[in-house]
Amino acid sequence: MAERSFAKEVEKLKQGEGEVFTGEGILAITKALLENGVGYVGGYQGSPISHLMDVLADAQEILGELGVHFEASASEATATAMLAASVHYPIRGAVTYKSVVGTNVASDALSNLASGGVTGGALIIVGEDYGEGSSIMQERTYAFAMKSQVWMLDPRPNLPAIVDAVGHGFELSEISNTPVMLQVGIRSCHVHGHFDAKDNKRPDMTVSDALENPARQLDRIVLPPATYLHEEEKLTKRLPAAQNYILEKEINERFGKSGAKVGLILQGGTYNTVIRALNRLGLADLYGDTDMDMLVLNCIYPLVDSQIMDFCEGKDAVLIIEEGHPNYIEQQIAHMLYKGGKTVKLEGKGKLPMGGEYTGQVMVDGIGAFLSEHAAEMLPIAKVATNEEPVAIPDLSKTLPARPPGFCTGCPERPIFAATKLVEEELGEHHISSDIGCHLFSIMPPFDLGATTMGYGLGPASAAAFHNENKEGRRSISFVGDGGFWHNGLTSSVGNAVFNKSDNVIVIVDNFYSAATGGQDILSSRADNKTKQTQNSIVDACKGMGVKWIRQIDRTYDVTKVRDTLKEALTTPESGPKVIVASSECMLNKQRRVKPQLAKAAKEGKRVVRPRFGVDEDICTGDHACMRLSGCPSLSVKDTGDPLRDDPVAAIDQTCVGCGNCGEVADAAILCPSFFQAEIVSNPSQTEKRRAKRSQKIISWLQTRRDAKRVAFA
């Protein structure tokens, strides 16, 4: 079950010649793949590219009609290796993953793919996750393109440019026998617009055709001595072919007045922000028309020396707008100018920040500083023409409180970490290794657990060095999610622990989905999937890997059981890795699935019961220990209005989903009996209605009596 269904949107993929396609960038990329005769598609989800996999999953009927094979890959390495189908066969293939973490995982396959080269077009759609909204380390995929000699496109963030880039990507790959990366950031993935549609094209050769007609080219196999020839071919044949194509097809675009004394060279992906900055400086209109000479690099690797030199000819200064660090593009252009003996002043990092996202205000400040130094005459004219000063955007980070990431209301992972805190209260603190996924939020308050995060599925592996010589000493605890487990953890973490006779504890957090990336199905998902084999046991996989001590918990909300099982794992004399599989369905996905069902049943007049929890404010002591062991967003505080009570009491708001974790935590920690469970009944029976009226009368009588006593006492 993905985060959202694109069933309605994918109908647009059937549009053809003469129709105007409207929609989101992700959907436009999918349509462009079909228009360009793609033969197979794969990939692994991750923001901001997750929806592309979801769109493809929902469009399998359309893909099937065209003879296009689609796979949800086990990892980014799997996806990249899938492009091997384009090595010997003239089949166009595309895969997708999130960078830079996905590129890291894919790097081994990417190196081999780039070495031998391809016959069919091979397109890697990379969701560049860079900037303040990113959830990963701040690095750039560009380094991988340079290292492996893979070409990289970065189109302007509008639908026609993105669609054109898909077609150019395939052609560039085929002409130069080189895989091509199509880099799209969040601005491109989620931009809305329109473009003129074309008819979908069935691939000239399908993967089925290839199987019936096996082919093999010895010079494309990555094995000496061919590998030495591959390096030479990259430089003497593939690179010149790519550069010629970039020039002939005018992949890079030039805007503005070519005779200007100053100019901007920018990545295509930054174009919209640059134009907005120029507009605010009075140097461009709302439609992007400007006199500022700009070279927009829709292909950021390789660069074409002659094109760069031609742009810089006769200019006093040029500003390179390149988001991220290191400044690879700026370094290359500086080298070109130095070798060519040019004296043009090159600016880039310095006028613009060394790192960090180039937001609107950053662009205004950077371009403004560049023009103030090298073309000051442009700014006063612009101010007179617009009769206004550029308006500074306030720094909201200094006025708004930080909003750290946290678990959703009712998340089944929260009780696992509440139980861990309870165990540590008894046994003392332990070294805890975390992993990528929702469970990583345990590092934040109120749990404050976890010391390291080394990569997706590598939580237990990052605890591999910890070995206690004292057999009765403490063990490390490591967490890995079910998505990470199947992505990389089964072999790299669990298998590694078995092989090396680790004595530590591994907790596999099983919420039935790859939840953090949008709720996609995985091998162990409990739901039926028409096109995938689900319901594969994590426990059986661990046993098959050689784990002897393993426990399955089918309801993580049972905090007492989770606590006792974890304590047993930390204290058992049995050797070898101790594995706990803690399973409960992701509450966010569960609510998406259950709410429509309950609403439909209620509308049809059927009896529907929804649990809801509350706190008896007369019993609550106000010590708030329940919150320190839960942290649920629906659990807050409330002022009773009683002047004799200084501390506010606990309260549960209307976002409660009735998971019961707050009550379970209170019971496991032996806190207080103030939590109660109520039931909201839609379409109740006549007996229930009578019982509810009778209960309400009794409660009203008791409340009236209590209030009267309070008045009398006062």
Side-chain angles (χ1 to χ4, degrees):
M1 176 182 181
E3 187 172 68
R4 58 163 291 197
S5 171
F6 289 86
K8 293 181 179 179
E9 287 90 338
V10 296
E11 288 298 314
K12 296 181 180 180
L13 299 178
K14 298 178 180 178
Q15 292 181 348
E17 194 73 39
E19 296 182 88
V20 176
F21 185 102
T22 60
E24 196 176 15
I26 289 286
L27 203 62
I29 293 173
T30 314
K31 173 61 174 165
L33 292 175
L34 301 182
E35 290 181 354
N36 284 279
V38 70
Y40 62 96
V41 188
Y44 194 86
Q45 61 275 355
S47 175
I49 209 71
S50 290
H51 286 172
L52 181 54
M53 295 300 294
D54 298 336
V55 168
L56 290 166
D58 287 338
Q60 288 193 66
E61 181 180 345
I62 299 172
L63 298 179
E65 292 173 355
L66 294 170
V68 180
H69 176 64
F70 168 71
E71 280 198 8
S73 307
S75 71
E76 296 84 358
T78 306
T80 308
M82 188 180 180
L83 291 172
S86 294
V87 171
H88 298 300
Y89 304 94
I91 309 175
R92 290 183 168 183
V95 298
T96 175
Y97 40 77
K98 168 197 185 91
S99 73
V100 67
V101 287
T103 323
N104 289 337
V105 174
S107 59
D108 189 14
L110 183 63
S111 293
N112 282 277
L113 180 71
S115 181
V118 295
T119 301
L123 189 65
I124 302 169
I125 304 165
V126 179
E128 189 76 354
D129 191 9
Y130 184 82
E132 295 178 0
S134 173
S135 62
I136 61 169
M137 74 290 289
Q138 296 297 273
E139 294 183 0
R140 301 176 62 191
T141 302
Y142 198 94
F144 288 89
M146 296 177 68
K147 174 187 72 68
S148 297
Q149 290 289 282
V150 172
W151 317 141
M152 177 174 275
L153 304 178
D154 185 12
R156 290 187 293 132
N158 66 69
L159 264 56
I162 294 170
V163 169
D164 287 345
V166 172
H168 285 308
F170 280 127
E171 291 183 12
L172 176 60
S173 177
E174 291 162 347
I175 286 175
S176 64
N177 302 120
T178 303
V180 172
M181 286 182 170
L182 174 63
Q183 175 178 284
V184 283
I186 191 168
R187 293 183 179 91
S188 296
C189 289
H190 301 305
V191 68
H192 283 255
H194 65 272
F195 65 93
D196 294 331
K198 298 178 182 177
D199 293 335
N200 293 333
K201 181 183 177 183
R202 186 178 179 85
D204 295 331
M205 173 181 278
T206 66
V207 289
S208 296
D209 296 334
L211 284 172
E212 298 299 327
N213 300 277
R216 176 173 174 269
Q217 300 176 62
L218 186 60
D219 60 349
R220 295 232 178 269
I221 300 175
V222 184
L223 184 72
T227 47
Y228 313 128
L229 299 176
H230 293 164
E231 181 184 24
E232 180 183 355
E233 183 183 311
K234 285 181 179 181
L235 300 173
T236 61
K237 295 181 180 180
R238 300 186 201 173
L239 178 59
Q243 292 174 325
N244 288 337
Y245 181 88
I246 292 167
L247 288 176
E248 290 173 4
K249 297 295 183 178
E250 299 181 345
I251 303 299
N252 299 325
E253 301 171 285
R254 193 161 177 176
F255 299 97
K257 187 178 294 184
S258 60
K261 291 298 183 180
V262 296
L264 309 178
I265 299 179
L266 56 136
Q267 293 175 253
T270 66
Y271 174 82
N272 290 4
T273 316
V274 169
I275 287 296
R276 177 58 181 142
L278 291 175
N279 173 253
R280 291 178 59 206
L281 290 167
L283 299 175
D285 63 21
L286 292 175
Y287 302 99
D289 292 329
T290 178
D291 288 337
M292 176 65 68
D293 195 4
M294 298 192 300
L295 177 61
V296 180
L297 300 176
N298 293 312
C299 180
I300 54 178
Y301 190 78
L303 302 179
V304 183
D305 294 38
S306 60
Q307 187 175 53
I308 300 295
M309 299 295 280
D310 178 66
F311 178 80
C312 294
E313 185 67 33
K315 286 186 168 49
D316 296 332
V318 172
L319 176 67
I320 309 298
I321 300 177
E322 175 184 11
E323 193 172 52
H325 181 80
N327 54 343
Y328 297 117
I329 296 175
E330 184 181 343
Q331 291 178 31
Q332 292 176 78
I333 293 177
H335 181 65
M336 294 176 195
L337 296 175
Y338 175 76
K339 286 185 66 176
K342 301 297 183 182
T343 58
V344 58
K345 176 67 174 178
L346 193 66
E347 300 275 18
K349 303 297 183 183
K351 287 293 184 290
L352 289 160
M354 293 292 291
E357 184 178 4
Y358 283 2
T359 61
Q361 188 61 48
V362 168
M363 289 292 197
V364 169
D365 295 341
I367 296 174
F370 169 75
L371 293 175
S372 295
E373 181 174 341
H374 299 288
E377 69 280 1
M378 297 181 68
L379 290 175
I381 295 173
K383 291 180 181 179
V384 171
T386 60
N387 197 30
E388 64 178 35
E389 294 284 341
V391 179
I393 300 174
D395 186 356
L396 297 181
S397 66
K398 293 182 171 58
T399 57
L400 294 176
R403 192 186 74 169
F407 295 104
C408 300
T409 299
C411 176
E413 300 183 9
R414 185 178 287 107
I416 298 173
F417 300 107
T420 305
K421 293 292 286 188
L422 292 173
V423 169
E424 288 201 325
E425 285 182 7
E426 181 178 351
L427 301 181
E429 291 188 3
H430 289 69
H431 177 85
I432 296 178
S433 296
S434 302
D435 207 318
I436 305 299
C438 298
H439 43 279
L440 183 57
F441 296 152
S442 62
I443 67 172
M444 308 300 293
F447 304 113
D448 298 307
L449 297 170
T452 52
T453 304
M454 289 291 107
Y456 198 29
L458 297 177
S462 60
F466 294 99
H467 176 74
N468 201 327
E469 296 292 339
N470 180 4
K471 295 298 182 183
E472 297 181 358
R474 292 185 184 177
R475 294 163 174 153
S476 73
I477 304 171
S478 56
F479 291 93
V480 61
D482 47 354
F485 173 82
W486 293 114
H487 179 277
N488 195 22
L490 178 59
T491 54
S492 297
S493 286
V494 177
N496 183 71
V498 171
F499 182 68
N500 289 289
K501 295 184 178 181
S502 169
D503 195 42
N504 297 322
V505 177
I506 299 172
V507 181
I508 300 173
V509 181
D510 172 27
N511 57 28
F512 304 2
Y513 308 93
S514 180
T517 59
Q520 292 82 8
D521 282 339
I522 52 177
L523 276 161
S524 52
S525 295
R526 308 297 173 93
D528 292 325
N529 189 310
K530 294 180 181 179
T531 62
K532 303 289 182 289
Q533 179 179 310
T534 54
Q535 304 181 48
N536 297 281
S537 171
I538 293 177
V539 171
D540 289 348
C542 290
K543 287 181 178 178
M545 192 60 73
V547 176
K548 305 299 182 185
W549 194 104
I550 188 166
R551 301 289 185 270
Q552 170 76 51
I553 298 174
D554 289 320
R555 182 175 175 272
T556 61
Y557 297 104
D558 189 343
V559 178
T560 302
K561 184 174 182 179
V562 178
R563 178 198 63 189
D564 294 345
T565 305
L566 183 56
K567 181 180 176 182
E568 179 190 359
L570 291 168
T571 57
T572 179
E574 190 168 336
S575 61
K578 269 63 69 173
V579 175
I580 300 171
V581 182
S583 305
S584 274
E585 183 177 10
C586 165
M587 184 57 72
L588 195 60
N589 271 22
K590 182 178 180 180
Q591 291 301 311
R592 291 188 182 117
R593 177 173 56 82
V594 170
K595 277 187 176 182
Q597 297 173 354
L598 296 179
K600 181 181 178 183
K603 188 176 181 179
E604 293 173 350
K606 297 177 182 178
R607 181 176 179 273
V608 176
V609 180
R610 290 175 292 141
R612 183 62 58 84
F613 282 77
V615 176
D616 189 327
E617 60 186 52
D618 290 333
I619 299 176
C620 177
T621 62
D623 68 348
H624 308 147
C626 53
M627 298 175 197
R628 292 193 293 273
L629 284 171
S630 171
C632 180
S634 68
L635 192 58
S636 186
V637 293
K638 174 184 177 182
D639 187 1
T640 64
D642 188 343
L644 299 179
R645 302 187 68 171
D646 295 331
D647 296 325
V649 298
I652 299 177
D653 65 26
Q654 293 302 306
T655 63
C656 171
V657 294
C659 71
N661 179 52
C662 49
E664 292 279 358
V665 167
D667 178 65
I670 316 176
L671 299 176
C672 68
S674 61
F675 289 93
F676 65 85
Q677 179 177 344
E679 291 182 342
I680 300 175
V681 183
S682 300
N683 303 315
S685 65
Q686 292 300 320
T687 301
E688 288 175 317
K689 290 179 181 179
R690 288 193 295 270
R691 187 184 302 122
K693 288 182 179 180
R694 186 166 55 251
S695 298
Q696 188 60 46
K697 286 181 180 179
I698 295 173
I699 292 171
S700 297
W701 179 77
L702 290 172
Q703 288 177 334
T704 302
R705 183 184 177 195
R706 180 195 61 186
D707 293 342
K709 285 186 176 182
R710 283 180 174 176
V711 172
F713 179 79

